[in-house]
Amino acid sequence: MGLHDECGVVGVFGCENAASLTYFGLVSLQHRGQESAGIAVSDGQTIKLKKSLGLVGDIFNQDDFAELKGSISVGHVRYATAGGRTIENAQPFFNTFKLGSLALAHNGQLVNYEPLREMLEDAGSTFSSSSDTEVILKLIARSYKKGLELALKNTIQLIKGSYALCIITEDTLIGVRDSNGIRPLCLGKVGDGYIMASESCAIDAVNGEYIRDIAPGEIVMISKDGIKSFMSEEKIQKQTCVFEYVYFARPDSVIDGISVQEARYKMGAALAKESSVAADVVIGVPDSGIGAAIGYSRETGIPYVTGIVKNKYIGRTFIAPTQAERENMVYVKLNALRSDLDGKRVVVIDDSIVRGTTSRRLVQILRRAGAKEVHFRVSSPPVKFPCHLGIDTPSKNELISSAHDVEEIRKEIGADSLAFISLKGMISALIDCNPSANGFCRGCFCGEYPVK
């Protein structure tokens, strides 16, 4: 039961099979959300939409693509933070009004969602969901008579928080990234058209060519007239979510000029420099702990072995009805390789410790497989504060590091030793990957957020 990112978005322009390209892009972003998915497509005149609860591959079939014809599309995969787990909150959101239609997909979370919704309701707007995304859609629609560009600018002046948006009208694809660049969004070329996506792995999935990241505060509009880009008037202060590199993003993605896998290697190496320990093998908790484990192994010279096998077909852990059963799902999800661990001193690398329950059961699994010593190392600093910007974190009193020091946590999880990477070490590892990189949101570690 760790941290969960909210969503992944994909937008396609100028491709005959836009819906199917969006589908493949969403499949490659499935790790960012498994609760619902949807695709909206424009044929130049009208926008059609299909969305449902479930995984991308279970929602769409061949008949859907015969229906979803058009060269402009937007898609979304969702993990709920703002708003409950219902079909009403599935995205993209779609609205038809006097001047046209909009479909919008959003990754992130608004911190001023409630007052904005109240303002819109007072002005006569009605809502079909409890999602902050619908507020963004209504704000754009409200200003649309002034033109799309001005409607976007007016909306961005009002909304506060984290957002990477993909929006389509009947004839335009738009990408917007918040002025801190907290959530990722990139641009690529595919065939004669373009693609935008939360991660570059989605561009690779459609055999596209990555062009660049959308800059913090940038609005990109793609139409038959070409690409138009302009900055929102807000002050830009880049603060990419550091957990994209630690945990959320796929290792084959590049975000803001930093290779995710390279970042994990460097974090593992930094962890080894700060807190190495005598051991026989190094293992990583699949999937996001593996890169850091390889980096730790290279730095220390201690052999890396597989050690842990992950069941790739396990359902979401929250479907177990009680908290105790959810915690015990770890035994179903992960198992240890006795041949790698029996009689060995083991260093196990994980990306984070949130509540501590998963880590405790992991240590038990390793000892059951014969590990003589278990040394737990974590490739992010202690998570002490909840996130308000698009990550589903437990409340502060559920975060084990908010109330316990490292030695208390070590005893709680049953490890022989425990160490976290320092905040300085983690940021240095990221800058080591790209010396021009600057500005990372680290609110969950120190309580200082880029958005109040």
Side-chain angles (χ1 to χ4, degrees):
M1 296 297 291
L3 309 176
H4 299 283
D5 198 20
E6 190 177 353
C7 308
V9 298
V10 177
V12 171
F13 180 88
C15 299
E16 193 179 333
N17 55 340
S20 60
L21 290 174
T22 301
Y23 170 87
F24 291 122
L26 291 179
V27 168
S28 72
L29 296 178
Q30 188 76 82
H31 60 286
R32 298 186 72 89
Q34 300 91 40
E35 286 177 359
S36 65
I39 297 173
V41 183
S42 171
D43 61 5
Q45 302 294 319
T46 56
I47 295 175
K48 289 185 177 177
L49 168 68
K50 177 172 182 180
K51 59 183 179 178
S52 185
L53 298 176
L55 301 177
V56 180
D58 296 331
I59 293 169
F60 296 97
N61 58 44
Q62 205 59 49
D63 293 340
D64 294 320
F65 296 110
E67 272 291 303
L68 296 169
K69 285 201 173 299
S71 62
I72 308 171
S73 66
V74 62
H76 189 270
V77 288
R78 179 171 191 267
Y79 180 91
T81 59
R85 300 179 176 102
T86 65
I87 186 60
E88 289 79 19
N89 290 319
Q91 297 188 38
F93 276 96
F94 175 63
N95 199 350
T96 297
F97 46 100
K98 192 164 66 175
L99 297 168
S101 301
L102 286 173
L104 183 150
H106 167 214
N107 172 30
Q109 193 168 350
L110 302 188
V111 296
N112 63 340
Y113 150 71
E114 288 178 357
L116 286 175
R117 177 170 173 141
E118 196 174 315
M119 177 194 79
L120 287 164
E121 285 176 332
D122 289 345
S125 289
T126 56
F127 288 84
S128 61
S129 76
S130 56
S131 168
D132 54 350
T133 307
E134 193 176 6
V135 165
I136 303 173
L137 187 72
K138 300 279 187 186
L139 286 169
I140 297 170
R142 189 179 74 152
S143 299
Y144 203 77
K145 61 181 176 292
K146 299 172 184 173
L148 180 58
E149 191 173 318
L150 201 55
L152 291 166
K153 282 183 175 175
N154 288 348
T155 299
I156 284 157
Q157 293 298 314
L158 290 170
I159 60 177
K160 306 292 176 207
S162 66
Y163 49 90
L165 308 176
C166 272
I167 308 163
I168 61 169
T169 67
E170 288 86 352
D171 58 5
T172 306
L173 170 66
I174 304 115
V176 186
R177 197 171 174 197
D178 71 72
S179 59
N180 296 113
I182 297 165
R183 298 282 144 236
L185 190 64
C186 58
L187 175 68
K189 192 97 177 68
V190 55
D192 294 326
Y194 293 92
I195 179 170
M196 293 178 188
S198 291
E199 293 181 39
S200 61
C201 66
I203 299 172
D204 297 334
V206 298
N207 197 26
E209 179 189 347
Y210 166 84
I211 298 172
R212 63 176 180 87
D213 289 276
I214 307 294
E218 185 180 13
I219 301 168
V220 176
M221 299 175 68
I222 307 176
S223 68
K224 65 181 189 316
D225 300 323
I227 296 185
K228 181 178 183 181
S229 165
F230 52 95
M231 302 302 288
S232 63
E233 292 172 30
E234 287 196 54
K235 187 181 174 188
I236 307 304
Q237 187 189 3
K238 183 171 162 291
Q239 298 272 283
T240 310
C241 173
V242 79
F243 257 104
E244 291 288 349
Y245 302 104
V246 174
Y247 172 68
F248 297 131
R250 255 176 46 167
D252 51 334
S253 288
V254 176
I255 294 174
D256 289 334
I258 295 175
S259 156
V260 173
Q261 184 72 331
E262 187 65 24
R264 291 175 186 169
Y265 290 155
K266 300 270 190 191
M267 288 176 198
L271 191 53
K273 288 171 187 167
E274 291 180 356
S275 58
S276 63
V277 63
D280 302 307
V281 292
V282 177
I283 63 174
V285 180
D287 292 304
S288 45
I290 291 172
I294 292 168
Y296 188 102
S297 167
R298 289 174 180 170
E299 183 64 30
T300 58
I302 301 168
Y304 169 80
V305 296
T306 302
I308 302 170
V309 175
K310 180 181 178 182
N311 181 347
K312 290 182 169 60
Y313 304 100
I314 187 81
R316 291 298 305 277
T317 51
F318 66 73
I319 61 171
T322 68
Q323 181 64 25
E325 285 175 306
R326 284 195 290 274
E327 290 169 4
N328 286 330
M329 290 293 282
V330 177
Y331 298 127
V332 183
K333 200 172 188 177
L334 302 172
N335 199 18
L337 284 165
R338 179 172 285 274
S339 57
D340 278 349
L341 307 175
D342 198 11
K344 306 276 178 60
R345 298 169 298 170
V346 179
V347 176
V348 56
I349 313 281
D350 205 354
D351 54 70
S352 58
I353 295 180
V354 182
R355 288 186 177 92
T357 48
T358 298
S359 306
R360 184 168 69 247
R361 279 159 176 72
L362 190 56
V363 171
Q364 291 168 359
I365 288 167
L366 298 176
R367 293 204 191 280
R368 189 176 69 190
K372 189 165 68 174
E373 295 174 13
V374 177
H375 300 280
F376 214 101
R377 295 293 180 268
V378 187
S379 60
S380 65
V383 177
K384 297 183 177 183
F385 300 89
C387 177
H388 311 290
L389 297 168
I391 301 172
D392 184 24
T393 47
S395 58
K396 193 171 190 292
N397 62 0
E398 292 179 285
L399 295 169
I400 194 168
S401 294
S402 71
H404 300 278
D405 64 22
V406 173
E407 177 55 19
E408 288 170 334
I409 298 168
R410 181 199 69 76
K411 288 177 181 172
E412 177 67 25
I413 68 173
D416 292 287
S417 73
L418 169 66
F420 295 81
I421 195 172
S422 67
L423 185 54
K424 183 181 176 184
M426 182 178 66
I427 299 299
S428 295
L430 291 168
I431 293 170
D432 202 21
C433 295
N434 179 3
S436 65
N438 65 330
F440 300 95
C441 177
R442 71 250 346 237
C444 49
F445 308 126
C446 61
E448 294 172 12
Y449 305 94
V451 183
K452 284 188 172 63

